[in-house]
Amino acid sequence: MLLSQTQSKQTSTQIYSIKIVLIGEFLKHRSFNGANKALPVLASSLVNAGFRQVLQLDLERLDLRVDDVLKEIINADLIIFAGCLTTQWPEIDDHSSKIFAELQKYGRKNVPILVGGYATKSVEDIARITPWITAFCDGEGEESIIEISHTVARGTFYEEMQHLPGLCFINDDGKFHRTIATRVNNFDDIDQSFGLVHVPQVHDMDIFKSSDGRQLKTAQIFTQRGCPWGCGFCNKSSESNSVIRLSEASLRRQLRQLKQRGYEAIYLDVDTFTVHEQAAKREAETLKEEGFFWGSNTRIDKINYEQMRYLAEHNCVYLFFGVEHTLPEVSLANHKFNGSVASQIKQAFDYPAKITRAFQDMNQAGLPSSYFLILGLPKAKLNDKKTEIIGYEPTTYADDIEAIRFGIEKCNPDFLNFNVLRFMPGSMAADTVGDCSYSCVRPSGKQPITAGYFLPRAVKHYGYPQFQEHGVYRLCESVSRYQPITMAMNPQRVYDTICYAMQLINAKIDAGGKATKLFIDRDLIALGLVTQDAQGKYAIAPLEDFANI
């Protein structure tokens, strides 16, 4: 969709005529529906800066194919794969090489092909075997993309590459030039749904339904940036731990635009919604005043019953927080809490009681609750007095089922979601060199997990240890092929863990309790590998039936 300068408030009087193509990749395996926010955000930023030819090509759209992209890039001046995830490297690798070949056919040898998003973390090994990718944009892009585009408009991009913020690439001398764009401190002028083409399969989230069961048209926006915690398995807080909020005026303006386009629900794509209590309350009030049902994420230790009731009274219908695990030793190994070691140990041992209380409060407040666990995490070994961490070791099957039993029996959740520990570049779990809490479960041991581990061609080229593929891993959220996962897990342990959870759920239903719903990949349901009866009780096929899906 071509975006003209009249579609957005201009902050620059100069108009640039270069054609910029933003490409969004298709995501094969997803936990739940979620949009690629980078495309409209970057497009809005560019148009605000005076760039009038910005094309958004999101391959999640049902009306777009790679061939359509190849037609559009022939006369492009700048091509950017935007908002990419590390798990998408097989697709990025294939499509970027096709784009390069197409440009060569038309003699267009100097068109920059860039890749942005979390896929650019620890990417040097991929950079060395993808010469057709000009550079990688690491860090937040709303401001850096404008600087990059200015150099393209001036015809000085290649001369100025060394000085562009966040641009990473192989130098002429063979060294990898690494930099990261600085944090964006103000995003009020950006229209986060600018030129967005609604894709029901992606943008609508089935947690938002009307009273008669109709799916509400749902948009995703973020009202804050940054996370003050440093959990090791997450890469969200690796760039900055300060939290920046969207202004009330900007939020209200964007909500009204969405309402005019028929949107009825909002998912706030933020890390910890209630990190600032008063700001969260104001945003809840605004969402209700503008007529939206909504949901968001937060942390168990940053929410209480009074807050839940207030949010529910202001149209909140979904609130998610990740438990990750209930064992204190696991929370310590994953750096769940901030502060001194003594403070972290105290917080870790207080955590199970807070989990129980939070779920009781959710049920009382009338909010659906989701119990989210990560399987195969490491755990800390403590001294006899439990005052010092003396080492780390993998969690066991017994550890995981204890956490599951705790959740089903004490928390009585509406949903139960499983993930398996994956190593996302940019996180402490993936990047830390040498001995660390994750070395005991990392397939690379003391070496970091790089982006190349997610690309089969790179795995073969560098001789990286290969992940043992098995369809049973699809029982956990978003686990696809070519992902390095925890050494603590194997197919039998995954299967046994899920079976145990199903047995507990079924027993609770037989006893007259609530039917907790598991996240199950829709492909597995379609294949009949997992079934659920009218009561909500689960049945699962034998392990061998999962082998080759």
Side-chain angles (χ1 to χ4, degrees), residues 274-522:
T274 54
V275 64
H276 294 147
E277 181 179 355
Q278 294 307 314
K281 284 185 174 181
R282 286 194 297 271
E283 289 168 13
E285 292 162 3
T286 302
L287 284 157
K288 182 178 181 179
E289 289 166 4
E290 298 303 329
F292 286 93
F293 294 101
W294 60 278
S296 190
N297 310 317
T298 196
R299 278 174 61 107
I300 284 171
D301 51 358
K302 294 301 295 182
I303 190 77
N304 57 43
Y305 177 71
E306 288 72 28
Q307 290 172 314
M308 291 176 190
R309 284 299 309 158
Y310 194 85
L311 301 183
E313 289 166 2
H314 289 81
N315 285 9
C316 178
V317 295
Y318 181 76
L319 197 63
F320 174 85
F321 33 67
V323 173
E324 283 97 40
H325 214 280
T326 57
L327 293 186
E329 293 83 357
V330 175
S331 296
L332 291 169
N334 298 321
H335 307 278
K336 175 78 174 174
F337 306 105
N338 294 344
S340 65
V341 172
S343 174
Q344 289 182 49
I345 290 174
K346 183 182 186 307
Q347 292 177 78
F349 279 91
D350 289 344
Y351 188 48
K354 289 185 177 181
I355 295 171
T356 304
R357 178 61 185 270
F359 277 88
Q360 290 172 348
D361 289 346
M362 287 281 280
N363 291 326
Q364 186 178 351
L367 288 169
S369 57
S370 182
Y371 190 81
F372 172 81
L373 289 177
I374 301 178
L375 305 176
L377 289 163
K379 61 181 179 181
K381 292 188 287 187
L382 300 174
N383 62 1
D384 293 339
K385 294 182 180 180
K386 299 189 184 305
T387 56
E388 294 181 20
I389 299 172
I390 58 176
Y392 300 95
E393 59 188 347
T395 46
T396 64
Y397 171 70
D399 294 331
D400 288 344
I401 65 171
E402 179 182 334
I404 295 168
R405 186 169 61 249
F406 180 98
I408 296 295
E409 295 178 354
K410 295 192 176 183
C411 298
N412 195 27
D414 295 282
F415 301 98
L416 174 57
N417 304 53
F418 289 107
N419 209 324
V420 62
L421 176 61
R422 298 166 290 159
F423 298 90
M424 306 309 294
S427 68
M428 184 189 306
D431 292 355
T432 305
V433 179
D435 277 321
C436 71
S437 58
Y438 291 91
S439 301
C440 62
V441 294
R442 197 162 53 186
S444 59
K446 296 180 181 181
Q447 297 301 311
I449 295 286
T450 62
Y453 277 76
F454 294 75
L455 178 60
R457 189 167 63 84
V459 170
K460 183 177 180 180
H461 180 86
Y462 294 107
Y464 292 150
Q466 288 188 299
F467 161 55
Q468 180 192 357
E469 292 182 15
H470 196 291
V472 77
Y473 289 106
R474 294 277 295 279
L475 286 166
C476 300
E477 292 185 14
S478 303
V479 178
S480 59
R481 302 177 70 186
Y482 318 126
Q483 284 190 49
I485 68 165
T486 170
M487 297 293 287
M489 300 303 293
N490 58 56
Q492 187 68 56
R493 178 169 162 182
V494 171
Y495 183 79
D496 291 345
T497 302
I498 303 299
C499 286
Y500 179 81
M502 289 180 175
Q503 290 167 12
L504 286 183
I505 290 170
N506 293 347
K508 187 174 71 166
I509 293 171
D510 287 338
K514 181 164 59 178
T516 295
K517 184 177 181 180
L518 285 167
F519 163 81
I520 298 293
D521 190 306
R522 292 171 184 175

